[in-house]
């Protein structure tokens, strides 16, 4: 980094570790200038996910947004049961979001088909329900 940072936040995207001020290019093993406002200061990195060729996605203000042409564009609204995102990931053209309506409530999981833009609630076995759950234990 060009200068020391305190409590920085960042995400991996297209082979680089991004932060609002700089991006670390792993191929060249050096810091580059990053796009300004890539992540707002109050953005929590766990609400962002790099979907590889599918792009970069983030849960923000009740919506799923995608980074397109250096701008965040709305993809769809989050299901009403998710206002606080605990975890998200992409695979095979789908976006998995785990979260809750209010802090302290049991987490729920939804999957968004990125092509059809349809949400589907996922059911977790009783022993994997509650405040913490893992996406690998869900029946799809």
């Amino acid at each position: 980094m060009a200068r020391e940072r305190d409590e920085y936040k960042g995400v991996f995207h297209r082979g680089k570790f991004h932060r609002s001020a700089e991006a670390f290019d792993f191929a060249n093993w050096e810091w580059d200038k990053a796009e300004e406002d890539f992540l707002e200061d109050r953005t929590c990195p766990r609400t962002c996910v790099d979907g590889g060729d599918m792009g970069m996605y983030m849960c923000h203000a009740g919506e799923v947004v995608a980074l397109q042409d250096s701008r965040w564009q709305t993809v769809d609204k989050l299901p009403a049961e998710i206002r606080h995102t605990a975890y998200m990931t992409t695979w095979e053209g789908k976006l998995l979001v785990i979260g809750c309506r209010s802090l302290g409530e049991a987490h729920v999981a939804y999957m968004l088909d990125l092509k059809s833009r349809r949400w589907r609630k996922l059911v977790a076995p009783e022993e994997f329900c509650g405040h913490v759950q893992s996406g690998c234990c869900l029946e799809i």
Side-chain angles (χ1 to χ4, degrees), residues 12 37 88 119:
F12 283 95
D37 301 322
M88 56 189 296
W119 286 99

Side-chain angles (χ1 to χ4, degrees), residues 59-64 76-83 85 97 119:
C59 292
H60 179 72
E63 298 180 329
V64 172
D76 203 353
K77 290 188 179 289
L78 280 166
E81 290 183 274
I82 298 181
R83 288 296 169 257
T85 305
V97 180
W119 286 99

Side-chain angles (χ1 to χ4, degrees), residues 2-3 5 9 13 17-23 32-41 43 58 67-72:
R3 64 182 178 85
R5 308 245 180 235
K9 297 176 183 175
H13 178 58
F17 177 73
H18 289 263
R19 191 194 175 281
S20 292
E22 299 169 298
D32 291 342
K33 272 297 220 188
E35 302 165 39
E36 284 302 312
D37 301 322
F38 184 80
L39 291 177
E40 293 178 1
D41 288 338
T43 300
M58 175 172 55
L67 187 61
Q68 297 171 350
D69 300 322
S70 299
R71 293 185 50 199
W72 292 100

Side-chain angles (χ1 to χ4, degrees), residues 74-119:
T74 299
V75 173
D76 203 353
K77 290 188 179 289
L78 280 166
E81 290 183 274
I82 298 181
R83 288 296 169 257
H84 301 278
T85 305
Y87 178 78
M88 56 189 296
T89 192
T90 58
W91 82 102
E92 298 180 2
K94 295 175 177 57
L95 175 71
L96 171 70
V97 180
I98 297 175
C100 58
R101 184 184 326 259
S102 298
L103 294 175
E105 288 186 4
H107 287 163
V108 294
Y110 278 85
M111 182 174 58
L112 174 65
D113 184 305
L114 293 168
K115 190 172 185 177
S116 69
R117 306 284 165 96
R118 292 188 184 169
W119 286 99

